[in-house]
Amino acid sequence: MQETIAKFKEQLAKMKAYAHALAILSYDSETTMPKAGNAALGATMGFLSGEHYSLVTAPELREMLETLAQNREELDPVTRREVEYLQEELAKMERIPKAEYVEFNILLQTASQVWREAKNKNDYPAFAPYLAKIIDFSRRFAGYMNPALPVYDAWLNEFEKGMTMATLDAYFADVRAKLVPVIHAIAERGRKIDKSCVEVEFPVWKQRKLSDYLMDLLTIDRDCCAIGETEHPFSTGSSKHDIRMTTHYYPTLMLSSFFSVIHEGGHSLYELHTGDELIGSPLAEGVSMGVHESQSRFFENLIGRSRAFIELIYPKLCEIFPEQMAGVTSEMLYLAANHSSPSLIRVEADELTYSLHIMVRYEIEKRLMDGTLTVDELPNAWNALYKEYLGIDVPDDTRGVLQDIHWSMGSFGYFPSYSIGSAYASQIYARMAQELDIDACVRAGNLKPVCEWLEEKIWKYGKMKTPGEIVENACGAPFDPKYYTDYLTGKYSALYGL
Amino acid sequence: MQETIAKFKEQLAKMKAYAHALAILSYDSETTMPKAGNAALGATMGFLSGEHYSLVTAPELREMLETLAQNREELDPVTRREVEYLQEELAKMERIPKAEYVEFNILLQTASQVWREAKNKNDYPAFAPYLAKIIDFSRRFAGYMNPALPVYDAWLNEFEKGMTMATLDAYFADVRAKLVPVIHAIAERGRKIDKSCVEVEFPVWKQRKLSDYLMDLLTIDRDCCAIGETEHPFSTGSSKHDIRMTTHYYPTLMLSSFFSVIHEGGHSLYELHTGDELIGSPLAEGVSMGVHESQSRFFENLIGRSRAFIELIYPKLCEIFPEQMAGVTSEMLYLAANHSSPSLIRVEADELTYSLHIMVRYEIEKRLMDGTLTVDELPNAWNALYKEYLGIDVPDDTRGVLQDIHWSMGSFGYFPSYSIGSAYASQIYARMAQELDIDACVRAGNLKPVCEWLEEKIWKYGKMKTPGEIVENACGAPFDPKYYTDYLTGKYSALYGL
């Protein structure tokens, strides 16, 4: 038995090496690689993914897993969960033919590049054939991975285990019913909030200093976490000792990078505090996209956009940007940071309208996955839904259907986790507030108690529990979207004097 | 036969994928990776190196190579050379036990990090045990790779095929005999050259703009070549479509990054112009370290430090840095760029004294490799040679024996290529000048003819020829160090009015 465990751990270490290399290659391609390097990168990532695939689907591994599963009582909790987790992954993966798996990975590497150029040139037709192929693969793969489920449920399950269209239909109906009236009320009778006070030029080199300050405030250990710059901010990591996050500096939109750093910082904190016993294990990462997003949104919105945080940071901003902040009060900054109005671009959307952007994508993904919407019909469908949900006209595909990278990466089913994550965050906050004076911690510039609470309830577990168990463990109750709709309704009614 | 060739090319593609991943992981670790990521990186690189090793030493590959070698007349020239090259590599590699190979690679990953910290803290004893292990491995590996050769000749051969201590002893004796009198003459009766005129603050963001300008001037295609920032500038690449070079900006030493960009640009140009027929082949890189260095030094010194280039660049510098350049004439800039005096740090050494820094390392490496010098005796030996060759006292190990990364990477035998490369560059320049009015090209800001000449004679060949053949192909004669010593003697006699 000890021998089988040792061999099993050896296999895990090999998988980890491939996963590590793939993570760095991918990060490098986003941050550094010159454009022409993409073809060779696709070939290399295709090959390494194939080797990784071969390891995971090797008959030896399957035998090991069976032996270990039969003797699960003898295993320590981490190994036991590793066995379960890999058996689930294997069951999905081994039904995907290796050639198709490699082909799909190579396609995705090209498609992201094609998408980027199509977006820059407002050229949806250039991207459409790639998208059609990705949709084809995705529908086929869903059938391999989880033939019992509808295609889209199979993909939702990949990002948030147990998530279904039934749950999301109800969730989004509720969100829509509660939030749309608030959005309309703001448009009709809300007071005017002016954010132009902070839309002057803030030099980028000083914004970089601000990022360093924010990372310190968030208690991020810089020996384990690097910050880079990309067009779209993101976070990734290969272990709790090597996390990368990025931001994007806009000279006249200081708050953009400000909140990106806090958002990506939330993702990073989650990974940085995975339990030590999980180092090197496939369980050593956030449990799901939804729970991951709950952590980034917790810090970005619940903490970062709170009055307490704005009051804490205000003197620092005045110190770093004395000229720009002259005449800006802490209250003006608070209002600017929480300004809301329907807009075109998801990643720039405010907290209140954000979930409507997700609903557009959710409705479209359902139809792309069940085959009732074609790529040719997609832009019109997109534009019609933006009109219906957000009341705005989409002027071009660059600011419409081409705005997000996700579909070029084959990530159907990912978007809903952004909204669900926001909802988790509100519920987590409400629960934490019963045990901790969060505002007092923030005002003292001491986020340690907040981080320790999250580490204890969420971060340390990695994938040792399911997403549902994690949420319940943190909140002391199953997921309930009312915390999210109550929070937003209350906050925005007060802000806009409704 | 066609089938064997196809299988062979498939194996090459796999090797390429590992080499590509390893190159990016290594680049990332120099430029981006947070410090704590090093342990996991060592494990991953160790594993991937091991997989690469297994591919290269697999019995199937050996059989393929034998079959192909027996039918060499039927092969196209690239495949023929690939077979030769891999048989040579294989003959060396298969005698290294895989476990030792992997262990050495993991050791090197740790040792570079230990070296970095030891250098920062002036703590040679912290690095010494690692260095001792690296020396042990290196001596053992030389015996595996090339048992017929003395240890150091085996390593010289790795960086410059055919290079021997016999050749280098004669070369360095000649260099020393010719250049030391010039260095002494400058100290005793040379006119004073003042470089303080360009040692004022040049803002880094403007220096970055200057780098972009220089890369354009060098005709570097930015779609294929990225520039990053590291403490020590370097270049690397995984294909002609993905080259990375770095520089380091010092606010008050504008010329440092200026010449780093031109130097690394020379390396990059070499790789960017490898022949298309070599894409994906192990032959698709510069033939040797010496020839590589000849290209970087050609651009840095023969072109970049010429009067013609300085006169070309002078108006641009005045445009980018109007305040800093006020009162600096083109002649003052030319003199500052060519200032010479014995100094402590190799990478900051001027063109004239540079080879003396190499001689120190050459003498030490010979003795470390033949076992007549221990790591404990090393710092004293270093300091004594700096006194003897350059006439200066080494104040601490940070600026002494710990200054270079090479030994922590196990690169014994690498240093001489820096000096040999400079010597090649002078001979290449002399030959090119017979066919091309180089100064006229430079004054016109048109380096294309210079690049085309080098592409035709050197760059396109990759590893299709030996270093000796490449040099002879470019120079129309075998290597002769007199071009180098004549060039430096002439240039510095004029500069210092000797």
Side-chain angles (χ1 to χ4, degrees):
Chain A
M1 198 59 188
Q2 286 315 308
E3 205 182 307
T4 311
I5 293 177
K7 273 192 192 153
F8 173 62
K9 297 287 175 172
E10 216 174 89
Q11 288 307 99
L12 291 186
K14 288 183 188 175
M15 288 179 210
K16 177 72 207 165
Y18 284 116
H20 184 185
L22 287 164
I24 301 298
L25 287 169
S26 167
Y27 180 82
D28 177 86
S29 76
E30 295 287 334
T31 54
T32 306
M33 183 186 77
K35 193 158 99 167
N38 208 51
L41 181 70
T44 294
M45 290 184 77
F47 170 74
L48 296 178
S49 309
E51 294 297 295
H52 185 249
Y53 176 97
S54 298
L55 274 180
V56 176
T57 56
E60 306 89 274
L61 180 66
R62 187 209 295 227
E63 281 165 31
M64 269 181 230
L65 287 169
E66 277 164 16
T67 311
L68 294 169
Q70 279 155 15
N71 300 280
R72 63 190 307 280
E73 298 311 321
E74 292 176 47
L75 305 176
D76 64 273
V78 172
T79 308
R80 199 183 305 153
R81 177 79 191 100
E82 283 171 342
V83 170
E84 271 172 29
Y85 173 73
L86 279 169
Q87 283 193 313
E88 289 165 18
E89 290 299 299
L90 183 55
K92 288 184 294 192
M93 207 151 168
E94 68 185 356
R95 287 192 293 261
I96 304 175
K98 179 171 172 180
E100 288 187 42
Y101 180 81
V102 172
E103 197 189 336
F104 188 43
N105 275 284
I106 294 174
L107 169 66
L108 294 181
Q109 195 56 36
T110 313
S112 307
Q113 183 108 341
V114 172
W115 162 76
R116 211 175 296 276
E117 278 173 31
K119 181 183 169 184
N120 287 339
K121 295 180 186 154
N122 186 33
D123 184 4
Y124 178 77
F127 177 54
Y130 289 86
L131 183 57
K133 275 192 218 163
I134 292 171
I135 292 169
D136 250 26
F137 267 108
S138 299
R139 297 185 63 195
R140 220 170 336 130
F141 278 27
Y144 295 141
M145 294 187 307
N146 229 326
L149 295 183
V151 168
Y152 193 42
D153 276 355
W155 280 111
L156 288 171
N157 202 54
E158 285 301 290
F159 296 100
E160 197 72 9
K161 200 180 161 183
M163 189 54 69
T164 63
M165 288 184 274
T167 306
L168 286 177
D169 284 345
Y171 166 76
F172 280 122
D174 187 39
V175 166
R176 201 174 162 193
K178 300 267 176 56
L179 298 189
V180 168
V182 182
I183 295 169
H184 285 166
I186 289 175
E188 285 155 20
R189 56 195 167 83
R191 62 166 163 162
K192 295 288 160 272
I193 287 183
D194 177 22
K195 59 187 174 115
S196 65
C197 59
V198 285
E199 294 185 348
V200 298
E201 186 160 343
F202 287 72
V204 168
W205 67 272
K206 286 192 173 191
Q207 290 196 48
R208 288 198 186 96
K209 270 178 69 176
L210 177 61
S211 298
D212 289 334
Y213 175 77
L214 289 170
M215 287 174 81
D216 286 347
L217 198 56
L218 291 170
T219 75
I220 291 172
D221 179 354
R222 299 296 290 273
D223 279 355
C224 301
C225 182
I227 181 166
E229 294 174 34
T230 49
E231 197 192 332
H232 292 283
F234 69 95
S235 311
T236 184
S238 54
S239 82
K240 66 182 290 182
H241 295 121
D242 184 353
I243 304 294
R244 287 52 175 332
M245 49 185 269
T246 71
T247 187
H248 187 99
Y249 297 104
Y250 298 92
T252 59
L253 293 172
M254 178 272 289
L255 288 179
S256 172
S257 170
F258 179 88
F259 284 115
S260 286
V261 170
I262 302 176
H263 178 101
E264 302 306 334
H267 283 304
S268 299
L269 282 167
Y270 189 176
E271 296 294 331
L272 288 165
H273 292 277
T274 312
D276 281 340
E277 68 283 8
L278 299 178
I279 289 173
S281 167
L283 306 175
E285 57 178 357
V287 65
S288 70
M289 290 304 154
V291 176
H292 234 302
E293 200 65 15
S294 77
Q295 300 309 290
S296 55
R297 302 227 161 229
F298 179 92
F299 282 96
E300 178 191 349
N301 293 331
L302 281 304
I303 300 289
R305 287 193 161 87
S306 70
R307 198 168 243 117
F309 192 81
I310 296 292
E311 286 174 9
L312 167 72
I313 200 80
Y314 175 76
K316 191 72 197 178
L317 286 178
C318 294
E319 180 193 320
I320 303 182
F321 305 104
E323 293 161 38
Q324 291 80 359
M325 292 299 288
V328 179
T329 64
S330 173
E331 183 64 13
M332 286 160 77
L333 184 64
Y334 173 69
L335 292 173
N338 286 289
H339 174 272
S340 173
S341 74
S343 63
L344 277 168
I345 309 292
R346 177 184 62 85
V347 295
E348 292 163 14
D350 59 78
E351 217 183 337
L352 179 63
T353 60
Y354 187 83
S355 281
L356 298 185
H357 291 262
I358 299 304
M359 284 169 65
V360 169
R361 289 150 178 82
Y362 172 67
E363 293 301 330
I364 286 177
E365 288 192 344
K366 277 203 293 188
R367 294 166 59 194
L368 290 173
M369 288 296 109
D370 72 11
T372 59
L373 182 73
T374 67
V375 294
D376 293 337
E377 298 160 343
L378 174 53
N380 284 339
W382 178 283
N383 298 349
L385 284 167
Y386 261 80
K387 188 72 182 175
E388 185 187 342
Y389 292 174
L390 288 135
I392 53 177
D393 294 306
V394 175
D396 52 48
D397 293 332
T398 296
R399 286 172 284 180
V401 68
L402 286 173
Q403 68 181 264
D404 295 308
I405 195 173
H406 301 62
W407 293 340
S408 78
M409 298 167 74
S411 300
F412 294 98
Y414 188 132
F415 283 120
S417 25
Y418 289 127
S419 178
I420 288 287
S422 301
Y424 290 163
S426 297
Q427 191 173 354
I428 292 166
Y429 187 94
R431 176 70 183 154
M432 189 192 288
Q434 293 174 9
E435 298 177 16
L436 206 63
D437 186 342
I438 305 175
D439 268 1
C441 295
V442 172
R443 283 181 203 283
N446 175 21
L447 290 176
K448 226 173 148 218
V450 170
C451 291
E452 282 169 355
W453 194 96
L454 292 167
E455 180 177 12
E456 203 45 46
K457 305 275 187 181
I458 300 173
W459 297 345
K460 70 176 186 185
Y461 292 108
K463 291 184 187 296
M464 285 292 287
K465 295 175 182 287
T466 66
E469 286 167 351
I470 288 285
V471 170
E472 195 157 344
N473 192 54
C475 301
F479 171 52
D480 183 346
K482 98 174 171 53
Y483 293 93
Y484 179 48
T485 49
D486 283 357
Y487 156 71
L488 286 178
T489 308
K491 176 171 177 176
Y492 279 88
S493 300
L495 263 161
Y496 279 90
L498 303 181
Chain B
M1 198 59 187
Q2 286 315 308
E3 204 182 309
T4 312
I5 294 177
K7 273 192 193 154
F8 173 62
K9 297 286 174 172
E10 215 174 274
Q11 289 306 101
L12 292 186
K14 289 182 188 176
M15 287 178 211
K16 177 72 207 167
Y18 284 115
H20 183 184
L22 286 164
I24 301 298
L25 287 170
S26 166
Y27 179 82
D28 175 87
S29 77
E30 295 288 333
T31 55
T32 306
M33 184 185 76
K35 191 158 100 166
N38 208 52
L41 180 71
T44 294
M45 290 184 77
F47 171 73
L48 295 177
S49 309
E51 294 297 295
H52 185 249
Y53 175 97
S54 296
L55 275 179
V56 176
T57 57
E60 305 90 273
L61 180 67
R62 187 211 295 229
E63 280 165 30
M64 271 180 230
L65 287 169
E66 277 164 15
T67 310
L68 294 169
Q70 278 155 16
N71 300 282
R72 66 191 305 281
E73 297 311 321
E74 293 176 46
L75 304 177
D76 64 90
V78 172
T79 309
R80 200 182 306 152
R81 178 76 192 103
E82 282 171 343
V83 171
E84 271 173 29
Y85 173 72
L86 279 169
Q87 284 193 312
E88 288 166 17
E89 290 298 301
L90 182 56
K92 287 184 294 192
M93 205 149 167
E94 68 185 356
R95 288 192 292 262
I96 304 174
K98 179 170 172 181
E100 287 187 43
Y101 181 81
V102 171
E103 196 189 336
F104 189 42
N105 275 285
I106 294 175
L107 169 66
L108 293 181
Q109 195 55 37
T110 313
S112 306
Q113 183 108 342
V114 172
W115 163 77
R116 210 175 297 276
E117 277 172 31
K119 181 183 169 185
N120 287 338
K121 295 181 185 154
N122 186 34
D123 184 4
Y124 177 77
F127 177 55
Y130 289 85
L131 183 58
K133 276 192 217 166
I134 292 171
I135 292 169
D136 250 27
F137 268 107
S138 299
R139 298 184 62 195
R140 222 172 331 131
F141 277 28
Y144 294 140
M145 295 187 307
N146 230 326
L149 295 183
V151 167
Y152 194 43
D153 276 355
W155 280 111
L156 288 171
N157 202 55
E158 285 300 290
F159 297 100
E160 197 72 8
K161 199 180 161 182
M163 190 54 70
T164 61
M165 288 184 274
T167 306
L168 286 177
D169 283 344
Y171 166 75
F172 280 121
D174 187 37
V175 167
R176 200 174 162 192
K178 301 267 177 54
L179 299 188
V180 167
V182 182
I183 295 168
H184 285 167
I186 289 175
E188 285 156 20
R189 55 195 167 83
R191 63 166 164 162
K192 294 289 161 270
I193 288 182
D194 178 20
K195 59 186 173 118
S196 65
C197 60
V198 286
E199 293 186 347
V200 298
E201 186 159 344
F202 287 72
V204 167
W205 68 272
K206 287 191 173 190
Q207 290 196 48
R208 289 197 186 97
K209 271 177 68 175
L210 177 61
S211 297
D212 289 333
Y213 176 77
L214 289 170
M215 287 173 81
D216 286 347
L217 198 57
L218 291 170
T219 76
I220 291 172
D221 179 354
R222 300 296 291 273
D223 278 355
C224 301
C225 183
I227 181 166
E229 295 174 35
T230 49
E231 198 192 330
H232 292 283
F234 70 94
S235 311
T236 184
S238 55
S239 83
K240 67 182 289 183
H241 295 122
D242 184 354
I243 304 294
R244 306 345 174 33
M245 50 184 270
T246 71
T247 186
H248 187 99
Y249 297 106
Y250 298 92
T252 58
L253 293 172
M254 179 272 289
L255 287 179
S256 172
S257 171
F258 179 89
F259 285 115
S260 285
V261 169
I262 302 175
H263 178 100
E264 303 305 335
H267 283 303
S268 298
L269 282 167
Y270 189 176
E271 297 293 332
L272 288 164
H273 292 276
T274 311
D276 281 341
E277 69 282 8
L278 299 179
I279 290 174
S281 167
L283 306 175
E285 57 178 357
V287 64
S288 70
M289 291 302 154
V291 176
H292 234 302
E293 201 65 16
S294 77
Q295 300 309 290
S296 55
R297 302 225 162 232
F298 179 91
F299 282 96
E300 178 191 350
N301 292 331
L302 282 304
I303 300 289
R305 287 193 161 86
S306 70
R307 198 168 244 119
F309 192 82
I310 296 291
E311 286 174 8
L312 167 72
I313 200 79
Y314 175 76
K316 190 73 196 175
L317 286 178
C318 295
E319 181 194 320
I320 303 182
F321 304 103
E323 293 160 37
Q324 291 79 1
M325 293 299 289
V328 179
T329 65
S330 174
E331 183 64 13
M332 285 160 78
L333 184 64
Y334 173 68
L335 292 173
N338 286 290
H339 173 273
S340 174
S341 74
S343 63
L344 276 169
I345 308 293
R346 177 185 61 85
V347 295
E348 293 163 14
D350 60 79
E351 217 183 339
L352 179 63
T353 59
Y354 187 84
S355 281
L356 298 186
H357 291 262
I358 299 304
M359 286 169 63
V360 169
R361 288 150 180 83
Y362 172 67
E363 293 301 330
I364 285 177
E365 289 191 343
K366 278 204 292 188
R367 293 165 59 194
L368 290 173
M369 288 297 109
D370 73 11
T372 58
L373 183 71
T374 67
V375 294
D376 292 337
E377 297 160 345
L378 174 51
N380 283 339
W382 178 283
N383 298 349
L385 284 167
Y386 261 81
K387 188 72 183 176
E388 185 186 341
Y389 291 173
L390 288 136
I392 53 177
D393 295 305
V394 175
D396 51 48
D397 292 332
T398 296
R399 285 173 284 182
V401 69
L402 286 173
Q403 68 180 264
D404 296 308
I405 195 172
H406 300 62
W407 293 340
S408 78
M409 298 168 72
S411 300
F412 294 98
Y414 188 132
F415 284 119
S417 22
Y418 290 126
S419 178
I420 288 287
S422 301
Y424 289 163
S426 297
Q427 191 173 354
I428 291 165
Y429 186 95
R431 176 69 183 156
M432 189 193 288
Q434 292 175 10
E435 298 176 16
L436 206 63
D437 186 343
I438 306 175
D439 268 1
C441 295
V442 172
R443 283 182 203 282
N446 175 20
L447 290 176
K448 224 172 148 220
V450 170
C451 290
E452 281 168 356
W453 194 96
L454 292 167
E455 178 177 14
E456 204 44 47
K457 306 277 186 180
I458 300 173
W459 298 344
K460 70 176 186 184
Y461 291 108
K463 290 184 186 298
M464 285 293 286
K465 296 176 181 285
T466 66
E469 287 166 352
I470 288 285
V471 171
E472 194 156 346
N473 192 54
C475 301
F479 171 53
D480 183 345
K482 98 174 169 54
Y483 293 92
Y484 178 50
T485 49
D486 283 358
Y487 156 71
L488 286 178
T489 308
K491 175 171 177 177
Y492 279 88
S493 299
L495 262 162
Y496 279 90
L498 302 182

